[in-house]
Amino acid sequence: MSKNRGSGIFSSSSENITSAWRALRQNWLRTSLTMSGIVVGVISIVTLIAILKGVKTEITNQVSDLGANLVIVVPSKLEEDGPPFNPMAMMGISSLTDEDVSTLKALPGVAEISPVLIISGLVELTGGKSTSAAVVGTNRQGVVMNPTPMEHGRYFFDHEKSVCVLGYTPSMKLFGTTNAVGKVVRVQDHDWTVVGVMAKPKGNGSAGGSFLGLGNLVYLPDGYARILIPGVQVNRIVLRTGYKYPAKTMLSSMKNAIMKNHHGHEDFGLITQEKGLDLVVKLVNMAQSLLVLIAAISLFVAGVGIMNIMLVTVTERTREIGIRKTVGARRSDIFQQFITEAVILSLIGGMIGLAISKIVCVLITKFSPLTPEITPSLIVMALLVCTIVGVFFGVTPAIRASALNPIDALRHD
């Protein structure tokens, strides 16, 4: 008996799906317009999350490549949970000095150290071709600490003047596959001779394409950059400790050493690899939550559209509902049919949205520095959200359809 019952349930579900598909196909124009809201919502939410997932993966890989014993000194006190106490100090006037570099360099356990001067401006050629890059002034050790190997040429020396080392991306954008060593580029209205070109970052190469990626850096000798470019300052200090001196155990001595230089003022922060990753993940997750909230509005509006269209459909099919009830259809059968229609409408819209999102992400990867990641969990989440939207906004029309009196429904014109 239970077997026959199960077969009946399966048959009923199959009939509901078939009936729902037939009804939606008969009004294909209205169905398409109704689904457009779901499609736009899914494209928005999937593409945005995919972009942020790609950014998170890229930054995590870059920081991991730099090594566990890396410490970055920034010109702002950090809160306990990571964010800067004074965010504007990260971009404005820096509290870090060359004296801080010398003090940290003298500490036992500091294996490599380099000041980082953030220099704005395009990297240009004489013919007018240019590209955006992350231009920094640093010493030889700062370039060597980049885990990406040198592909052509050499590292510069600290005493050299108008020379530079190009990352993979600016070299490709300016010179293509031609060896850039010996070529001249312009930064801040000064000529710099290329003495080295970094190789393409390992992995999928996304690190080389991002504006802040290791492959998009252009290195200038910090000593000569200070002479030619006014207003540059030590914006970061990057150091690596020896493996016998774990970075975490040295943080206290580093902090105390800089505090003495700053007369007891903690106007700086120390970021280890682990803390840096935590901060990045936290900021990306915050941005992701905000963007998802904004994109969810599209799905909500689309859901309201589905409900309105389904209510109109109930009115148009009142006589059909009356006939079905007369020949033995139960309220639950009518309810299931209209819920099924709403869910199918949402799922088809979701699948179309996913397909378009995939195309958009491929285009973003090809024509921009970003590398979006559409993961299986993201696909499942999108389809699950579409199902929930279909059920939630399909309940009211389904209840209204199932509650119709068969006699009154048959009389409906």
Side-chain angles (χ1 to χ4, degrees):
M1 181 174 179
S2 60
K3 182 177 179 180
N4 291 335
R5 183 183 178 186
S7 176
I9 293 173
F10 179 81
S11 176
S12 177
S13 300
S14 177
E15 288 175 3
N16 282 333
I17 294 174
T18 303
S19 177
W21 175 249
R22 187 186 305 115
L24 294 175
R25 193 173 56 183
Q26 285 174 351
N27 297 280
W28 63 270
L29 181 58
R30 185 173 63 191
T31 299
S32 301
L33 293 174
T34 307
M35 285 194 304
S36 62
I38 292 289
V39 172
V40 171
V42 170
I43 292 174
S44 303
I45 200 168
V46 170
T47 304
L48 291 173
I49 294 178
I51 289 173
L52 288 174
K53 281 182 176 290
V55 170
K56 188 190 299 185
T57 300
E58 178 181 323
I59 295 177
T60 300
N61 291 339
Q62 289 180 35
V63 175
S64 299
D65 288 342
L66 290 172
N69 281 14
L70 190 77
V71 178
I72 301 175
V73 187
V74 296
S76 174
K77 181 181 178 182
L78 300 177
E79 297 284 11
E80 291 298 323
D81 58 352
F85 184 77
N86 179 14
M88 293 308 297
M90 302 287 279
M91 299 178 290
I93 298 176
S94 175
S95 60
L96 303 178
T97 64
D98 290 317
E99 185 182 3
D100 296 329
V101 178
S102 300
T103 301
L104 291 172
K105 186 176 181 179
L107 289 178
V110 175
E112 298 172 310
I113 186 168
S114 64
V116 176
L117 289 60
I118 299 176
I119 301 170
S120 61
L122 295 174
V123 183
E124 303 172 297
L125 296 180
T126 306
K129 195 174 184 180
S130 65
T131 183
S132 297
V135 184
V136 298
T138 189
N139 58 13
R140 179 185 174 92
Q141 286 186 340
V143 188
V144 174
M145 272 195 274
N146 187 330
T148 309
M150 189 70 68
E151 183 174 11
H152 300 296
R154 60 176 176 83
Y155 298 101
F156 56 65
F157 295 96
D158 293 338
H159 63 270
E160 290 192 84
K161 295 184 177 181
S162 299
V163 296
C164 69
V165 172
L166 298 182
Y168 174 81
T169 301
S171 176
M172 286 295 295
K173 288 184 177 179
L174 293 174
F175 302 103
T177 56
T178 303
N179 188 348
V181 174
K183 307 291 185 181
V184 176
V185 298
R186 287 185 68 81
V187 176
Q188 290 280 353
D189 295 324
H190 297 284
D191 291 338
W192 306 83
T193 302
V194 180
V195 296
V197 177
M198 309 295 283
K200 185 177 182 179
K202 63 182 181 179
N204 59 12
S206 62
S210 169
F211 179 77
L212 298 176
L214 295 175
N216 201 46
L217 287 165
V218 173
Y219 296 98
L220 310 179
D222 66 310
Y224 199 60
R226 296 169 197 257
I227 297 173
L228 290 186
I229 305 172
V232 294
Q233 54 189 335
V234 179
N235 300 97
R236 307 284 187 273
I237 301 174
V238 180
L239 61 90
R240 196 192 306 279
T241 63
Y243 287 103
K244 293 182 180 179
Y245 301 85
K248 284 185 178 180
T249 61
M250 290 191 61
L251 288 180
S252 179
S253 59
M254 291 178 190
K255 180 178 178 180
N256 292 334
I258 303 177
M259 287 277 282
K260 289 181 181 179
N261 291 345
H262 293 218
H263 308 290
H265 297 296
E266 192 179 347
D267 51 358
F268 61 91
L270 300 173
I271 301 177
T272 60
Q273 182 202 54
E274 182 180 344
K275 191 171 185 178
L277 278 177
D278 289 343
L279 175 58
V280 167
V281 170
K282 184 176 295 184
L283 292 175
V284 171
N285 286 341
M286 287 173 59
Q288 181 173 303
S289 299
L290 178 61
L291 292 175
V292 167
L293 180 62
I294 295 172
I297 296 174
S298 300
L299 289 176
F300 180 82
V301 173
V304 172
I306 289 176
M307 182 173 66
N308 289 335
I309 292 298
M310 293 301 295
L311 287 172
V312 172
T313 302
V314 170
T315 302
E316 291 179 350
R317 295 164 61 186
T318 300
R319 187 174 180 82
E320 173 195 331
I321 295 169
I323 294 172
R324 289 196 62 187
K325 281 194 167 186
T326 302
V327 296
R330 297 166 297 178
R331 291 188 61 174
S332 60
D333 295 327
I334 304 298
F335 179 86
Q336 288 176 16
Q337 180 186 350
F338 279 86
I339 278 288
T340 302
E341 287 186 24
V343 171
I344 288 177
L345 200 62
S346 297
L347 283 177
I348 293 176
M351 287 186 283
I352 294 173
L354 280 170
I356 297 176
S357 294
K358 177 63 178 176
I359 296 171
V360 171
C361 288
V362 170
L363 294 175
I364 290 174
T365 302
K366 186 174 181 179
F367 296 106
S368 81
L370 300 171
T371 309
E373 291 183 6
I374 298 183
T375 60
S377 60
L378 182 55
I379 294 173
V380 171
M381 183 210 70
L383 294 178
L384 181 62
V385 169
C386 289
T387 303
I388 293 172
V389 168
V391 171
F392 182 79
F393 288 98
V395 164
T396 300
I399 291 176
R400 181 173 176 178
S402 63
L404 289 174
N405 184 287
I407 304 299
D408 295 333
L410 286 171
R411 292 173 179 172
H412 188 273
D413 293 329

